[in-house]
Amino acid sequence: MVVDSATALYRTDYIGRGELSERQMQMGQFLRQLTRLAEEFGVAVLITNQVVANPDGMSFAKDSTKPIGGNIIAHASTTRLRMRKGRGENRICTVYDSPTLAEADAQFAIGTAGVCDCTD
């Protein structure tokens, strides 16, 4: 099951810090429902999410973005991957957080034939 932009609707329906608690509670319930579906039917759940610039991050840091959703998304996820654009059609997938996988990068390309090996 794929859920694209899992936090997008919560960002538009709940605006400002005053509604943060309600937003996080609703998002937590949604993520628990996804977990139950995954366990009951034995399916994998893939959630895509947005990132924002991290104002707390140092300007010289390698990556100054952070995922939206905070700890609610982090705790509901088993493995988190960060995708970013490389040169041309190349993409880089980084294991961001996982209990079973070491932090590592994998490169691939997206072209007319779909997902394939990197192009130089």
Side-chain angles (χ1 to χ4, degrees):
M1 177 185 312
V2 177
V3 180
D4 190 18
S5 298
T7 57
L9 293 175
Y10 294 100
R11 293 185 73 205
T12 57
D13 288 347
Y14 299 96
I15 300 170
R17 292 202 178 271
E19 296 180 332
L20 179 63
S21 176
E22 176 68 19
R23 179 182 73 190
Q24 296 297 83
M25 186 174 63
Q26 291 294 321
M27 200 169 8
Q29 290 174 357
F30 169 67
L31 293 168
R32 278 191 298 281
Q33 288 173 344
L34 287 176
T35 301
R36 284 189 205 114
L37 286 171
E39 291 171 352
E40 183 176 342
F41 296 104
V43 297
V45 175
L46 174 70
I47 299 172
T48 67
N49 197 13
Q50 301 165 326
V51 296
V52 293
N54 183 3
D56 299 334
M58 299 182 190
S59 61
F60 57 84
K62 181 178 172 184
D63 186 2
S64 60
T65 61
K66 68 177 183 175
I68 292 174
N71 290 332
I72 296 292
I73 293 283
H75 292 298
S77 304
T78 302
T79 297
R80 295 193 296 162
L81 306 172
R82 173 178 287 163
M83 305 287 206
R84 64 185 190 277
K85 189 165 177 10
R87 293 183 182 178
E89 301 300 317
N90 294 340
R91 303 293 186 266
I92 303 163
C93 176
T94 303
V95 176
Y96 182 71
D97 182 27
S98 176
T100 58
L101 301 172
E103 283 191 27
D105 288 342
Q107 295 189 28
F108 60 96
I110 301 176
T112 56
V115 178
C116 53
D117 291 334
C118 282
T119 57
D120 292 324

